[in-house]
């Protein structure tokens, strides 16, 4: 495995480890204030990136396009901006980064949906 699928899987594993560490810290401190940020990190970081990686590994021709690379870059940037943004919003600080990260994340999912939809013809052959 290499390329985009590899990046997605390595990223997913890293996000899972950070998310687990985040959860352990919250449990040890008995402070679950940032559980929303923790949940978003696990869902978007671990689960979504792993699914992206699985798709790009299973359908390697899908990963060879510019759209696929743009998708992963946008999804990654969205995650990096949204998770601290959610934490900031929960702590009563600015919601701006959460909004920007959320918009990038949904654009990333739209790009993934477009990538999957355009592969339909290729997968049927």
């Amino acid at each position: 495995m290499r390329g985009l699928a590899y990046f997605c899987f390595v990223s997913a594993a890293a996000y899972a480890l950070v998310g687990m560490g985040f959860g352990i810290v919250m449990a040890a401190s008995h402070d679950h204030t940032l559980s929303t940020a923790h949940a978003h990190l696990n869902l978007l970081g671990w689960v979504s990136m792993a699914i992206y990686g699985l798709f790009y590994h299973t359908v390697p021709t899908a990963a060879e396009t510019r759209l696929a690379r743009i998708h992963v870059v946008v999804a990654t940037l969205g995650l990096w901006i949204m998770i601290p943004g959610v934490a900031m919003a929960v702590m009563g600080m600015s919601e701006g980064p959460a909004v920007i990260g959320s918009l990038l994340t949904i654009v990333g999912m739209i790009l993934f949906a477009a990538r999957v939809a355009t592969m339909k013809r290729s997968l049927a052959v």
Side-chain angles (χ1 to χ4, degrees):
M1 179 183 355
R2 57 186 157 79
L4 215 48
Y6 178 78
F7 175 82
C8 289
F9 277 128
V10 169
S11 295
Y15 297 139
L17 288 170
V18 172
M20 289 176 181
F22 197 177
I24 289 168
V25 168
M26 285 190 302
S29 69
H30 301 286
D31 180 2
H32 295 87
T33 304
L34 297 178
S35 61
T36 305
H38 162 75
H40 280 79
L41 175 59
N42 285 329
L43 178 60
L44 296 172
W46 164 231
V47 177
S48 292
M49 288 303 278
I51 290 170
Y52 299 154
L54 180 61
F55 175 73
Y56 290 129
H57 178 69
T58 305
V59 188
T61 57
E64 297 169 359
T65 65
R66 185 169 187 240
L67 178 59
R69 289 188 299 277
I70 291 170
H71 154 243
V72 172
V73 167
V74 170
T76 299
L77 287 174
L79 179 68
W80 288 355
I81 295 169
M82 183 170 57
I83 301 310
V86 168
M88 290 170 63
V90 168
M91 293 186 298
M93 301 164 73
S94 173
E95 292 184 5
V99 171
I100 293 167
S102 296
L103 292 173
L104 285 170
T105 299
I106 199 162
V107 168
M109 186 56 75
I110 291 167
L111 292 171
F112 180 65
R115 181 66 271 197
V116 171
T118 58
M119 291 304 299
K120 183 178 179 187
R121 290 181 296 275
S122 299
L123 294 174
V125 174

